[in-house]
Amino acid sequence: MRDRYEKLRLDSARMAGEVHRMVCAASAALVRGDIALARRVVDGDVLIDEAEMRIERDAIDLLSLYQPVATDFRSALMTLRVNTELERIADCAGNVAAQVVPMTSEAARADRPYRLPGALGGLATAVEELMGRALQAYNLADVGLAESTISGDERLDALYTQSLQDAEFDLVGLAERRERHLPIIKAA
């Protein structure tokens, strides 16, 4: 039974690593306007969905077949919860990557170079960093690192707000440019 709990933990850690790579790839695609990379991120979401279902099934099997107590029970429940959040984060990375195509297409139509507006590049970098710290805290079960990661969320909130304000400012009185800015807002 202990081997099954260890396998569940390792599978969850592997999925967390894949989701982090997906977030970093979505950020890179967004910053560089890399359509091919963006498409790989969107396509990769299927693998995360499959991993989530497999890990969830394994955790439920452990809970129902072995009726764990105390630490093992909490560990299996934590894995279920983290697993759900990882899948949601992967979906968000896919959604960000999906906005790269309309953003680069609009730049090409306007015959100008692709440029990521405002604070969005800083937001992408901050998300990568915070996700990396969260992943490390999860894998090491480091409560102190987890707490410092949570406090870093305020920086993300500020960058997110700034990204939206930048896009809103550009939108004011410029209805003809709305196609350019709606993907930016969705990417934020």
Side-chain angles (χ1 to χ4, degrees), residues 37-50:
L37 182 57
R39 287 189 174 130
R40 285 195 301 274
V41 170
V42 171
D43 293 344
D45 189 46
V46 172
L47 298 174
I48 299 299
D49 292 344
E50 291 170 357

Side-chain angles (χ1 to χ4, degrees), residues 107-123:
R109 276 194 309 272
D111 197 30
R112 63 174 169 68
Y114 174 81
R115 182 186 67 81
L116 195 61
L120 206 48
L123 178 60

Side-chain angles (χ1 to χ4, degrees), residues 74-136:
R74 288 189 299 272
S75 176
L77 284 180
M78 180 186 67
T79 299
L80 279 170
R81 177 62 196 252
V82 167
N83 190 46
T84 299
E85 294 303 316
L86 288 170
E87 194 280 327
R88 187 183 63 77
I89 292 167
D91 286 345
C92 289
N95 292 340
V96 167
Q99 298 310 310
V100 172
V101 173
M103 290 169 69
T104 55
S105 297
E106 195 281 328
R109 276 194 309 272
D111 197 30
R112 63 174 169 68
Y114 174 81
R115 182 186 67 81
L116 195 61
L120 206 48
L123 178 60
T125 301
V127 166
E128 285 181 43
E129 292 169 3
L130 202 60
M131 176 78 187
R133 286 181 30 211
L135 176 64
Q136 186 178 13

Side-chain angles (χ1 to χ4, degrees), residues 29-30 62 73 84 98 105 107 146 169:
L30 182 66
L62 279 172
F73 183 77
T84 299
S105 297
F169 177 77

